[in-house]
Amino acid sequence: MLRDREALLSLGSNVEPLRWVPRALELLQARHEVVAVSPWYRSAAVGGSGPRPDFVNLAVRVRTDLPPRALREACRRTEEACERRRTEDRYAPRTMDIDVVALDDLVLDLDTWHLPDPQLLTQPFVLVPCAHVWPDWRHPRAGRTLSALVEGLDPARRDMLERMPTPNGGR
């Protein structure tokens, strides 16, 4: 199988992350060639009302043969295999959330789905892990590499992330 596309995936879990993150990584590796996995980061839940558990966030760089929509659907199936239950509350705690953040240098705008994902430019919990696995990837809209975007982050925003020890040495 020719895996000629590279993608950045952002993973997050705030329900049993020590259980679900390794499972998601295992499922992703069964379908794609995993090039790199970032360190794990803890961050406060964003959005919603009331207290919510902190998230564990990380990024995975994969080589894949899937086109954009099929990759997104494969990520949804991985979430479901990790017992993700979607509700009307988009900020509800979740076992696994996998977002396709970028696919090569593709720029795509489909209703509510965009590549690269706009959160790459606005959320440190997406940007910092992604920069770890693909620092020299150049954002096609911003024109800067991920490492340069991280360097340009307000230190207070970057400090909102807490790097965690990766259980069992990573993947």
Side-chain angles (χ1 to χ4, degrees), residues 79-142:
E79 291 174 347
E80 291 167 6
C82 292
E83 300 182 15
R84 165 80 185 263
R85 302 291 175 254
R86 292 187 183 279
T87 67
E88 289 184 24
D89 179 1
R90 67 178 276 198
Y91 300 109
R94 62 208 59 180
T95 58
M96 182 52 53
D97 184 45
I98 304 175
D99 294 318
V100 179
V101 176
L103 183 59
D104 290 328
D105 60 354
L106 181 65
V107 174
L108 182 67
D109 292 300
L110 300 171
D111 298 324
T112 61
W113 188 43
H114 307 278
L115 287 178
D117 189 317
Q119 287 193 340
L120 193 53
L121 296 175
T122 62
Q123 299 297 340
F125 66 84
V126 176
L127 174 59
V128 171
C130 285
H132 185 86
V133 297
W134 206 351
D136 58 343
W137 181 77
R138 187 169 299 280
H139 192 290
R141 289 191 163 142

Side-chain angles (χ1 to χ4, degrees), residues 2-153:
L2 182 62
R3 294 181 171 166
D4 59 348
R5 296 177 178 95
E6 288 205 38
L8 278 171
L9 307 177
S10 176
L11 281 67
S13 173
N14 67 343
V15 174
E16 297 184 75
L18 295 177
R19 174 182 179 194
W20 295 115
V21 170
R23 178 67 179 138
L25 291 172
E26 177 183 300
L27 292 168
L28 290 170
Q29 190 165 22
R31 177 59 182 91
H32 313 281
E33 178 186 342
V34 173
V35 176
V37 178
S38 77
W40 295 21
Y41 293 88
R42 182 182 322 277
S43 63
V46 175
S49 60
R52 311 240 175 174
D54 286 350
F55 266 89
V56 169
N57 298 101
L58 63 151
V60 179
R61 180 179 172 185
V62 300
R63 284 194 187 99
T64 186
D65 60 333
L66 297 177
R69 289 178 196 218
L71 179 58
R72 185 180 187 207
E73 186 55 38
C75 290
R76 291 266 170 109
R77 286 192 304 273
T78 299
E79 291 174 347
E80 291 167 6
C82 292
E83 300 182 15
R84 165 80 185 263
R85 302 291 175 254
R86 292 187 183 279
T87 67
E88 289 184 24
D89 179 1
R90 67 178 276 198
Y91 300 109
R94 62 208 59 180
T95 58
M96 182 52 53
D97 184 45
I98 304 175
D99 294 318
V100 179
V101 176
L103 183 59
D104 290 328
D105 60 354
L106 181 65
V107 174
L108 182 67
D109 292 300
L110 300 171
D111 298 324
T112 61
W113 188 43
H114 307 278
L115 287 178
D117 189 317
Q119 287 193 340
L120 193 53
L121 296 175
T122 62
Q123 299 297 340
F125 66 84
V126 176
L127 174 59
V128 171
C130 285
H132 185 86
V133 297
W134 206 351
D136 58 343
W137 181 77
R138 187 169 299 280
H139 192 290
R141 289 191 163 142
R144 297 173 64 202
T145 64
L146 293 182
S147 60
L149 289 168
V150 168
E151 288 174 20
L153 272 178

